[in-house]
Amino acid sequence: TILVCGEMILLETENRGLNETLKAKFEASKPESVNAVAVDFDGVQYSISNENGDKGVILVSAKMSVFEDLVKHGVEDVLKREYGNYLVAPQDGFNVTLRFELASLEE
Protein backbone atom coordinates (compact mmCIF):
# COMPACT_ATOMS: atom_id res chain seq x y z
CA THR A 1 0.00 0.00 0.00
CA ILE A 2 1.28 3.45 -0.85
CA LEU A 3 0.60 6.36 1.48
CA VAL A 4 1.35 9.88 0.29
CA CYS A 5 2.39 12.22 3.08
CA GLY A 6 3.30 15.71 1.88
CA GLU A 7 6.16 15.23 -0.58
CA MET A 8 7.08 11.74 0.66
CA ILE A 9 5.67 8.36 -0.40
CA LEU A 10 5.53 5.83 2.44
CA LEU A 11 5.33 2.14 1.52
CA GLU A 12 3.82 -0.17 4.10
CA THR A 13 5.89 -3.25 4.90
CA GLU A 14 2.90 -5.59 4.81
CA ASN A 15 0.11 -6.22 2.36
CA ARG A 16 -2.97 -4.66 3.95
CA GLY A 17 -5.45 -6.69 1.87
CA LEU A 18 -3.72 -9.94 2.75
CA ASN A 19 -3.50 -8.98 6.40
CA GLU A 20 -7.17 -7.97 6.64
CA THR A 21 -8.38 -11.08 4.81
CA LEU A 22 -6.42 -13.41 7.09
CA LYS A 23 -7.50 -11.56 10.23
CA ALA A 24 -11.17 -11.83 9.21
CA LYS A 25 -10.87 -15.55 8.45
CA PHE A 26 -8.91 -16.35 11.62
CA GLU A 27 -11.36 -14.39 13.81
CA ALA A 28 -14.61 -15.59 12.18
CA SER A 29 -17.02 -17.35 14.52
CA LYS A 30 -17.20 -20.29 12.14
CA PRO A 31 -14.93 -21.32 9.23
CA GLU A 32 -15.64 -19.55 5.95
CA SER A 33 -14.51 -20.23 2.42
CA VAL A 34 -11.75 -18.06 0.98
CA ASN A 35 -10.18 -17.72 -2.44
CA ALA A 36 -8.18 -14.51 -2.83
CA VAL A 37 -5.19 -13.46 -4.89
CA ALA A 38 -3.08 -10.34 -4.39
CA VAL A 39 0.05 -8.90 -5.98
CA ASP A 40 2.27 -6.53 -4.02
CA PHE A 41 4.07 -3.49 -5.42
CA ASP A 42 7.29 -5.55 -5.59
CA GLY A 43 5.69 -8.26 -7.73
CA VAL A 44 5.17 -10.87 -5.01
CA GLN A 45 2.01 -12.85 -5.76
CA TYR A 46 -0.08 -14.17 -2.85
CA SER A 47 -2.88 -16.70 -2.75
CA ILE A 48 -5.20 -17.40 0.16
CA SER A 49 -7.45 -20.42 -0.26
CA ASN A 50 -9.03 -23.38 1.46
CA GLU A 51 -7.34 -26.74 1.12
CA ASN A 52 -9.48 -28.98 -1.10
CA GLY A 53 -12.61 -26.98 -0.21
CA ASP A 54 -12.15 -27.54 3.55
CA LYS A 55 -13.23 -24.26 5.18
CA GLY A 56 -11.33 -25.25 8.33
CA VAL A 57 -7.95 -25.18 6.58
CA ILE A 58 -6.40 -22.05 5.07
CA LEU A 59 -3.40 -22.10 2.73
CA VAL A 60 -1.34 -18.96 2.27
CA SER A 61 1.07 -19.16 -0.66
CA ALA A 62 3.62 -16.73 -2.07
CA LYS A 63 5.50 -16.58 -5.34
CA MET A 64 8.42 -14.24 -5.88
CA SER A 65 10.85 -13.91 -8.76
CA VAL A 66 13.88 -13.60 -6.45
CA PHE A 67 13.15 -16.74 -4.43
CA GLU A 68 16.05 -18.77 -5.88
CA ASP A 69 18.44 -15.97 -4.91
CA LEU A 70 17.00 -15.99 -1.40
CA VAL A 71 17.49 -19.77 -1.20
CA LYS A 72 21.21 -19.22 -1.84
CA HIS A 73 21.28 -17.00 1.24
CA GLY A 74 19.47 -19.38 3.60
CA VAL A 75 15.84 -18.29 3.38
CA GLU A 76 14.59 -21.88 3.77
CA ASP A 77 16.16 -22.11 7.24
CA VAL A 78 14.64 -18.77 8.19
CA LEU A 79 11.18 -19.89 7.00
CA LYS A 80 11.45 -23.16 8.96
CA ARG A 81 12.55 -21.28 12.08
CA GLU A 82 9.81 -18.65 11.85
CA TYR A 83 6.87 -20.79 10.66
CA GLY A 84 7.73 -24.29 11.89
CA ASN A 85 4.97 -26.82 11.25
CA TYR A 86 2.86 -24.27 9.35
CA LEU A 87 5.37 -24.48 6.48
CA VAL A 88 4.33 -27.19 4.01
CA ALA A 89 5.28 -28.18 0.48
CA PRO A 90 4.47 -25.24 -1.81
CA GLN A 91 1.32 -25.29 -3.91
CA ASP A 92 1.92 -25.62 -7.65
CA GLY A 93 3.24 -22.38 -9.09
CA PHE A 94 4.31 -20.94 -5.72
CA ASN A 95 7.57 -20.85 -3.77
CA VAL A 96 6.21 -20.99 -0.22
CA THR A 97 2.97 -22.26 1.34
CA LEU A 98 1.77 -22.03 4.94
CA ARG A 99 -1.08 -24.27 6.13
CA PHE A 100 -3.33 -23.25 9.03
CA GLU A 101 -5.90 -25.57 10.63
CA LEU A 102 -8.31 -23.10 12.19
CA ALA A 103 -9.48 -25.47 14.93
CA SER A 104 -5.95 -25.91 16.25
CA LEU A 105 -4.77 -22.29 16.21
CA GLU A 106 -3.88 -20.83 19.58
CA GLU A 107 -5.95 -17.91 20.74
Side-chain angles (χ1 to χ4, degrees):
T1 302
I2 300 174
L3 302 173
V4 179
C5 180
E7 300 278 329
M8 184 184 283
I9 296 176
L10 305 171
L11 300 175
E12 292 183 359
T13 58
E14 59 188 40
N15 184 300
R16 184 180 297 183
L18 179 74
N19 199 13
E20 289 176 0
T21 299
L22 287 173
K23 183 177 180 185
K25 298 306 175 187
F26 288 161
E27 293 177 352
S29 59
K30 64 179 186 169
E32 302 172 345
S33 63
V34 61
N35 186 10
V37 176
V39 178
D40 234 341
F41 68 92
D42 56 359
V44 177
Q45 180 181 342
Y46 298 97
S47 170
I48 307 171
S49 61
N50 298 112
E51 184 178 50
N52 299 320
D54 182 351
K55 295 178 184 178
V57 179
I58 294 178
L59 300 175
V60 179
S61 297
K63 175 182 179 179
M64 56 206 84
S65 62
V66 298
F67 190 75
E68 293 306 317
D69 291 330
L70 296 173
V71 168
K72 294 175 188 174
H73 297 283
V75 75
E76 290 174 322
D77 292 333
V78 174
L79 291 169
K80 287 176 189 172
R81 181 184 72 227
E82 295 298 319
Y83 296 106
N85 292 333
Y86 296 119
L87 187 65
V88 297
Q91 288 185 289
D92 287 343
F94 290 91
N95 305 112
V96 176
T97 296
L98 303 176
R99 182 180 185 273
F100 300 97
E101 291 186 38
L102 298 179
S104 64
L105 289 178
E106 296 180 20
E107 302 250 346

